Amino acid sequence: MMNLNKPRFLFGSILVLALVLFPGFQKAARLTPGLNLVQPDFFNHARESRYVPGQVIVKFKPGVSSFKKASVLNVYSSRILSKVAKLGAFLIQVPAQTTVEEIVNGLQKNRDVEYAEPNLLLAIQVTPNDPFFQYQYALSNKGQQVWSVPGSPQGKSSADIKAPSAWEETKGVETVVIAIVDTGVDLLHPDLKNKIVSGGRDTINNDFDATDDNGHGTGVAGIAAAETNNNEGIAGVAWNCKILPVKVAGPDGTGPADKVAEGIRWAVDNGAGVINISMGSVEPSLLMRDAVKYAYDKNVVVVASAGNNGGPVAFPAAYDESVLAVAATDFNDNRTSWSSYGPEVDVAAPGEKVLAPLPTALTPAGFFPYLPGTGTSFSAAHVAGLAALIKGFKPGLQVADIMNIIRYSADDVNASQFKGKDNYIGYGRINMEKALVPIKISQ
Amino acid sequence: MNRFRRRFLLLLSVGAASFLIVSPAPSQQAVSKIPISPGLSFEYFSRTVSWDPDPATKEDRYSSRLQSLLGLLHLDYEIRNGSLVGVLFGYSLADFNGLIFRQLPFSIDYQAGSIGGVLVGADLGQDLISSGYVEIKAMAQFVIYLGSTKNLEVTTLNAEGSLAAKPDDWMRVQIGPVASYRGFEYFSPFLSVAYNKLWGKFTMTETIGDLKGSEEKKVSSKSIIGISLGTKFEPSPNFSLKAEGTLLPFKKGTNQGWGFDWGGALHATFSF
């Protein structure tokens, strides 16, 4: 039998095992963070395309000699690819048999290293190339002027619905159609013509040519879903969703309840997934109530403007159970004074000087067919676009779920005055990023 | 579970067949009076798992990392010389960070770290060849982790929100030959190339205001072959210690080269 000093021999042998006979484990032992399984933030997403494969950036502390730097890198069998000019950091190539995570973890623990990190891939934010996007403060507000006219006001940075971040998650799908129940839509507008699914329905003239003879519906349609990234005009909230024009009002911008109700029902029966109604009446209409209820029961999201007279919420927006009522904020995230209010208001969206398409037939010669519009009509159009994005991204959701997602994700921008849901902006100004981008849960 | 059952039965069949078909290795000097050997092992692994494959192409669309720390109690029973069966019990911390649940009403990016769970499993061993100092065995192991529920809060929305994160299970099967060199007195270095597949399921349940949803995420390791290198240290007939490291290569994707998963384990065995 063996005659050994067992404990000492055992310990020594384990050490020899770990450090000499098995160099792979030597590295593993040094790099493994023991029981702490939480990785540094770089790797939290672990989606491999977030950094350059096989590359790590390392910066040594001031005063560390070149020899020492070389020794440290040698331990990790890494070679220097280049020095990052004037910043004193090195770009290194990790050996094939190890991962970027392992090398970064190991280097971060080295006392001569100031920092080590993967060579992250930075992506441009989704910014459409539409030339007037820069004026669409509602989508992305960087404190810019809200229009190119001299003297036009400047917005407050971040007083917007955070569209670019949400577009990284989804730009919508063509199968989701937004019905614009309004004065019609300019079917030939350069920023809309490729988005329109058909000539639509005109309940005023009882035909199937929903050409806009007022201008209002064209603006609403463009805000919700103008053709985007087409080097033309503006960006729509729902890049890839389609538009179904439904004309329920004449050139004067008014339409009888029966024609509006008929238009809503026609939209539901002809493929609309979302209906925008930027119209309203101070008086209720049971027929209108039945029409929006019909849409709701068919799993169609109905979004309506709260009204612009600073009084009670208009109908059909006030039909609380089946319609999302939208109030207006401005480029500073303040509620506009003329925005109607009441307990029926669900959310708010920018509605002050919002750039929107103008029918080409109504555009004076020499002008671009776009004009800033003001009113809760345009606020509602933003919400309709968001509803369409959610519906396309999560097709299994019911209409009540989509309405609640929009409510719960809104920013309570008047919390200093009215914390929580209030009568003026409801749950708050919509936030597309919070509605669509995965919520990071780390505890 | 049907897939799991099918795979498990297949493995059992393979293991049983190896016992029946393979002729016993030359008998060695018996050192154990009691044929049951208890053991204790600790293991850590980091595996790249893919999920939500493209419905049309079936190709991987997303991947994240499953990291797990395992503590296992082993009870091995020597059926006859060179044939071993064992059962395993233990506890594990499993970290599924990086899973994203996009079908919930509000999408969730899980970054909340490890969740504890119990482990059970079984292993089989059969001596195949013994020639000079070289010994080849067939080894198979199946382990299943059954996770507990971690309750989390969602605090960034206008309604109270809670999440129940539950790694329902992960399962791992390893099967392959192990070649050992027995030429040293106390050390036996070994090399193994084994089929090593891991798959599992994670369920996230969301309640935010009136919104309710649940999404099940099936994950599957990208690597399926593990190359292990290690050594067994036997200072006495009653005690052995095994250390091993495993490298598991996998193809990242079209034109994206290769990646490596890895793991390491320490395993002490006692014989009486």
Side-chain angles (χ1 to χ4, degrees):
Chain A
M1 289 294 287
M2 289 172 286
N3 183 16
L4 300 167
N5 180 341
K6 283 187 180 174
R8 187 178 298 175
F9 185 82
L10 195 63
F11 178 76
S13 302
I14 293 168
L15 210 60
V16 169
L17 262 174
L19 300 179
V20 179
L21 289 179
F22 191 9
F25 184 79
Q26 184 183 4
K27 185 159 282 183
R30 190 170 52 243
L31 299 175
T32 304
L35 281 167
N36 178 10
L37 300 182
V38 180
Q39 293 281 346
D41 272 342
F42 307 119
F43 309 116
N44 271 349
H45 288 276
R47 281 164 283 191
E48 288 148 14
S49 59
R50 294 206 167 206
Y51 49 86
V52 181
Q55 291 187 2
V56 167
I57 292 170
V58 57
K59 185 176 183 183
F60 291 93
K61 288 179 179 169
V64 175
S65 68
S66 299
F67 176 75
K68 187 81 177 176
K69 290 174 185 171
S71 303
V72 170
L73 295 179
N74 193 39
V75 168
Y76 297 100
S77 308
S78 302
R79 67 184 173 86
I80 294 174
L81 290 174
S82 63
K83 188 174 180 182
V84 183
K86 304 202 172 172
L87 293 173
F90 295 94
L91 181 65
I92 64 170
Q93 178 75 48
V94 307
Q97 70 273 19
T98 54
T99 64
V100 167
E101 290 94 327
E102 289 170 337
I103 296 295
V104 168
N105 283 339
L107 284 170
Q108 282 175 337
K109 289 177 182 139
N110 191 300
R111 59 187 173 190
D112 293 322
V113 171
E114 187 173 322
Y115 60 77
E117 61 186 20
N119 196 8
L120 295 174
L121 287 169
L122 275 68
I124 54 166
Q125 273 211 313
V126 179
T127 304
N129 61 18
D130 307 80
F132 295 148
F133 177 70
Q134 60 181 310
Y135 298 114
Q136 291 185 275
Y137 78 87
L139 304 183
S140 178
N141 194 341
K142 296 181 167 66
Q144 72 268 43
Q145 279 198 311
V146 303
W147 187 224
S148 60
V149 179
S152 66
Q154 274 187 297
K156 184 175 80 177
S157 185
S158 294
D160 55 36
I161 66 171
K162 329 244 173 281
S165 314
W167 288 334
E168 291 190 14
E169 195 67 14
T170 181
K171 298 182 183 72
V173 294
E174 289 193 359
T175 50
V176 174
V177 175
I178 306 171
I180 306 298
V181 176
D182 211 290
T183 59
V185 175
D186 179 1
L187 306 177
L188 301 175
H189 193 284
D191 229 2
L192 296 171
K193 62 184 180 188
N194 295 328
K195 300 295 294 290
I196 293 168
V197 291
S198 72
R201 174 84 176 112
D202 180 349
T203 61
I204 298 294
N205 299 304
N206 194 23
D207 59 29
F208 293 91
D209 177 5
T211 296
D212 188 3
D213 49 13
N214 172 280
H216 186 267
T218 299
V220 169
I223 289 167
E227 188 173 1
T228 305
N229 217 32
N230 62 337
N231 277 309
E232 167 70 42
I234 64 165
V237 171
W239 279 35
N240 296 330
C241 297
K242 294 285 189 180
I243 296 166
L244 179 64
V246 184
K247 182 174 172 59
V248 296
D252 64 349
T254 63
D258 69 308
K259 300 297 182 190
V260 178
E262 184 190 339
I264 293 169
R265 176 139 189 163
W266 184 87
V268 173
D269 293 341
N270 284 274
V274 175
I275 295 177
N276 185 94
I277 309 171
S278 287
M279 303 174 73
S281 160
V282 292
E283 300 292 332
S285 156
L286 294 178
L287 182 67
M288 190 72 68
R289 184 200 64 186
D290 288 348
V292 294
K293 176 79 165 42
Y294 178 76
Y296 182 90
D297 290 343
K298 294 281 186 179
N299 210 31
V300 175
V301 183
V302 180
V303 179
S305 51
N308 302 330
N309 63 5
V313 174
F315 294 91
Y319 290 120
D320 214 19
E321 286 188 358
S322 41
V323 181
L324 266 175
V326 185
T329 51
D330 66 9
F331 36 80
N332 292 317
D333 258 348
N334 294 323
R335 172 200 166 239
T336 61
S337 58
W338 40 261
S339 181
S340 295
Y341 63 92
E344 302 89 352
V345 170
D346 291 290
V347 289
E352 175 90 36
K353 294 185 171 59
V354 179
L355 194 56
L358 186 68
T360 45
L362 302 178
T363 305
F367 286 84
F368 291 110
Y370 301 90
L371 203 63
T374 291
T376 54
S377 296
F378 304 110
S379 308
H382 290 107
V383 178
L386 172 56
L389 290 180
I390 297 170
K391 196 172 179 70
F393 194 49
K394 304 188 180 204
L397 293 179
Q398 296 300 302
V399 59
D401 298 332
I402 296 171
M403 291 166 76
N404 276 333
I405 289 171
I406 292 169
R407 291 173 181 131
Y408 296 161
S409 58
D411 287 337
D412 190 4
V413 292
N414 67 350
S416 59
Q417 291 173 286
F418 309 103
K419 192 164 174 55
K421 183 178 185 293
D422 59 67
N423 289 349
Y424 300 101
I425 60 168
Y427 284 91
R429 189 254 304 125
I430 62 165
N431 183 327
M432 288 174 60
E433 182 182 355
K434 277 164 74 175
L436 286 163
V437 175
I439 301 168
K440 192 178 285 188
I441 299 293
S442 51
Q443 286 181 10
Chain B
M1 285 300 277
N2 283 338
R3 192 171 72 162
F4 150 63
R5 280 190 187 137
R6 278 201 303 275
R7 289 186 187 198
F8 189 48
L9 286 173
L10 179 68
L11 285 170
L12 280 179
S13 309
V14 170
S18 72
F19 279 86
L20 294 172
I21 294 166
V22 177
S23 55
S27 78
Q28 295 178 342
Q29 186 184 354
V31 292
S32 299
K33 290 176 183 174
I34 303 172
I36 293 178
S37 307
L40 195 62
S41 72
F42 294 97
E43 182 186 345
Y44 175 82
F45 67 73
S46 175
R47 302 286 294 264
T48 304
V49 291
S50 59
W51 33 278
D52 290 354
D54 188 300
T57 64
K58 305 289 178 202
E59 283 189 11
D60 295 341
R61 284 192 299 178
Y62 305 104
S63 65
S64 58
R65 210 165 263 273
L66 167 60
Q67 299 173 97
S68 201
L69 186 70
L70 294 72
L72 280 166
L73 181 68
H74 300 244
L75 285 175
D76 293 334
Y77 176 71
E78 191 169 12
I79 304 169
R80 59 179 187 235
N81 251 358
S83 301
L84 204 72
V85 293
V87 289
L88 323 166
F89 309 95
Y91 187 78
S92 174
L93 292 170
D95 179 346
F96 281 85
N97 275 9
L99 283 183
I100 299 177
F101 299 84
R102 286 191 165 88
Q103 293 310 311
L104 294 170
F106 278 100
S107 302
I108 297 294
D109 181 352
Y110 179 78
Q111 298 288 351
S114 55
I115 298 176
V118 295
L119 286 169
V120 290
D123 51 20
L124 297 168
Q126 170 66 58
D127 288 354
L128 297 178
I129 300 165
S130 185
S131 172
Y133 291 125
V134 176
E135 195 175 80
I136 298 178
K137 287 184 176 183
M139 296 295 292
Q141 187 189 70
F142 174 80
V143 181
I144 178 167
Y145 157 92
L146 301 164
S148 54
T149 301
K150 188 170 194 170
N151 293 308
L152 302 158
E153 285 184 1
V154 181
T155 56
T156 53
L157 300 170
N158 293 325
E160 284 190 10
S162 64
L163 299 170
K166 187 174 192 307
D168 301 277
D169 55 55
W170 61 251
M171 289 166 266
R172 184 183 65 184
V173 61
Q174 300 178 91
I175 186 163
V178 183
S180 306
Y181 179 75
R182 308 281 290 179
F184 302 123
E185 188 173 3
Y186 302 116
F187 298 102
S188 306
F190 62 84
L191 173 72
S192 159
V193 179
Y195 174 78
N196 189 324
K197 179 71 179 170
L198 184 147
W199 67 102
K201 204 169 71 180
F202 193 115
T203 303
M204 184 71 80
T205 305
E206 179 180 88
T207 307
I208 296 172
D210 293 332
L211 294 168
K212 289 183 173 54
S214 185
E215 185 177 348
E216 182 184 289
K217 190 76 69 189
K218 288 181 177 170
V219 302
S220 177
S221 65
K222 293 189 76 137
S223 53
I224 55 166
I225 298 291
I227 302 155
S228 300
L229 192 62
T231 187
K232 192 173 183 182
F233 169 62
E234 294 171 286
S236 84
N238 305 114
F239 175 74
S240 70
L241 186 68
K242 194 166 76 174
E244 67 179 307
T246 304
L247 206 60
L248 303 108
F250 64 89
K251 196 145 181 6
K252 285 182 177 172
T254 312
N255 300 325
Q256 288 183 38
W258 289 80
F260 293 94
D261 291 337
W262 63 279
L266 271 178
H267 185 168
T269 305
F270 306 89
S271 305
F272 303 104

